[in-house]
Amino acid sequence: MKNLTVNGQRLWESIMELAKIGATDKGGVCRLALTDLDREARDIFISWCKEAGCSVSVDKMGNIFARRSGKDNDLPPVMIGSHLDTQPTGGKFDGIYGVLSGLEVIRTLNDLNYETNTPVEVAVWTNEEGSRFAPAMVASGVFAGVFDLDYGLSRADLDGMTMGEELERIGYNGPEDVGGRPLTAFFEAHIEQGPILENEGKTIGVVTGAQGQRWYEVTFTGQEAHAGPTPMPTRRDALLGAARAVEAVNRIGMSHQPTACATVGLIQAQPNSRNVIPGQVFFTIDFRHPDADVLAQMDAELRTDLEKIAGDIGLEMAFEEIWHSPPVPFNKDCVDSVRKAAEDWGYSHRDIVSGAGHDACYISRVAPTSMVFVPCENGISHNEIENATQEDLTAGCQVLFQAAVARANSVPTGK
Ligand code: HGY
Ligand code: MN
Ligand code: MN
């Protein structure tokens, strides 16, 4: 399909246009899930899809589907998608690249007046990041039947606003049922968000799967007291406990190298006053590893360490594992389609397991799935300086185009 080329300039311009919504002074994007800015980006995306002749539907989790007809519209679609929500200090490309690459596939098919056997759909999954509402990938998880609809809609942010309330407020509480329909395949293009492709000088990551994740929420409760008269040995300092917990989380991660990841990303101390001993601290833990057994070992070590820390200081502990997304292998045929497209176009490439979670991880439970990675500068993401080159982004979109069209045409039409 060497003559079917995507328009990299148009893709780049679309990414830069959406990056204006929630643009930050440092060149990043802050567009948290289901905020007014998320609505604004969704509205623009839908207008672009309608200009491209797509029919658009929205489901009860706010997932958006832009559909281009194929020769046989009774066939399950090939779906391409990702997310438009960002981290608070996010970049221009995480998620957005995958959504707009899907739109570029549609636009290119239109330019070429090319009709695929199956329909092609572009999906925007709600709240992939798991930043405002935990856990991550919750709406693709409902689509894949991992979570039920009530669970998804009841996810609340730190101010107690639920996803259901916010979907209604921004007008994206769609009428369609969530999931329960067949897909021929699902593909997601994404920046790698790590350093491997750039360090090895590779243009394309042929994503064979993703590592597992386990998320926890912990509350240590001690006793607020005056920072002056209270003798050190008598204190029940919740922040001291959290500090030891951060050290323990890091130690567990470092003891399972070279692949384990262990992060405390969110911490809230009460009353957060400089001359009061913190009486209560809430914090989160994010564990990752490609091997489920090692993740289980890390889990056991964490529980033991936190019990000891709480006991040593005299703290009460509330401990909850709020999410467990096991390691995911992607579909061999889809992975082969991505690798063949990279080879056909002469792009340097290597197989890679995703360090980050993606909606593809859950959609792979209900459809043959793979991903296409491209490098990002210095492997940095979830940071306002996140950057990627137009050349690499175009190459990834070209590979996505060929893999998706090949899969769409692999199904014989009944017509
Ligand atoms: O956490 C992740 O891996 C993704 O960015 N939601
Ligand atoms: Mn992402
Ligand atoms: Mn992300």
Side-chain angles (χ1 to χ4, degrees), residues 82-83 85 93-96 128-129 188 190 193 356-358 382:
S82 195
H83 60 95
D85 64 305
F93 306 96
D94 176 0
I96 295 94
E128 185 281 339
E129 288 294 358
E188 182 170 2
H190 210 288
Q193 301 181 293
H358 300 284
H382 285 192

Side-chain angles (χ1 to χ4, degrees), residues 308-323:
K308 181 169 186 331
I309 289 165
D312 288 351
I313 302 173
L315 304 175
E316 289 159 37
M317 176 171 74
F319 174 91
E320 184 184 3
E321 179 176 16
I322 67 156
W323 185 41

Side-chain angles (χ1 to χ4, degrees), residues 11-12 49 64-65 141 150 175 210 217 219 268 285 331-332 344 360 366 384 401 404:
L11 171 60
W12 179 263
C49 291
I64 302 168
F65 304 99
D150 289 344
E217 290 181 350
T219 302
Q268 292 175 323
I285 298 165
N331 171 275
K332 182 178 179 323
D344 288 355
V366 292
E384 293 162 277
F401 178 91

Side-chain angles (χ1 to χ4, degrees), residues 12-137:
W12 179 263
E13 287 168 3
S14 300
I15 292 170
M16 292 305 122
E17 192 61 29
L18 275 197
K20 293 174 184 171
I21 304 168
T24 66
D25 296 343
K26 294 183 187 171
V29 180
C30 175
R31 194 169 59 231
L32 294 181
L34 304 185
T35 56
D36 291 341
L37 289 171
D38 188 14
R39 168 176 50 195
E40 199 181 330
R42 287 163 168 259
D43 291 349
I44 289 177
F45 170 72
I46 287 176
S47 69
W48 288 347
C49 291
K50 288 183 175 172
E51 283 167 16
C54 294
S55 58
V56 176
S57 61
V58 180
D59 71 17
K60 291 169 181 161
M61 281 302 299
N63 297 316
I64 302 168
F65 304 99
R67 182 181 175 97
R68 181 180 194 267
S69 295
K71 288 176 186 156
D72 182 349
N73 291 308
D74 295 333
L75 293 173
V78 165
M79 190 180 277
I80 303 167
S82 195
H83 60 95
L84 292 178
D85 64 305
T86 75
Q87 289 287 336
T89 53
K92 299 184 181 76
F93 306 96
D94 176 0
I96 295 94
Y97 168 56
V99 170
L100 295 180
S101 285
L103 177 56
E104 180 52 34
V105 167
I106 298 283
R107 286 169 165 170
T108 301
L109 290 170
N110 288 346
D111 291 348
L112 300 167
N113 197 21
Y114 183 106
E115 202 177 26
T116 50
N117 286 3
T118 72
V120 175
E121 287 189 16
V122 184
V124 174
W125 302 108
T126 300
N127 187 56
E128 185 281 339
E129 288 294 358
S131 175
R132 182 181 177 194
F133 303 97
M137 301 126 65

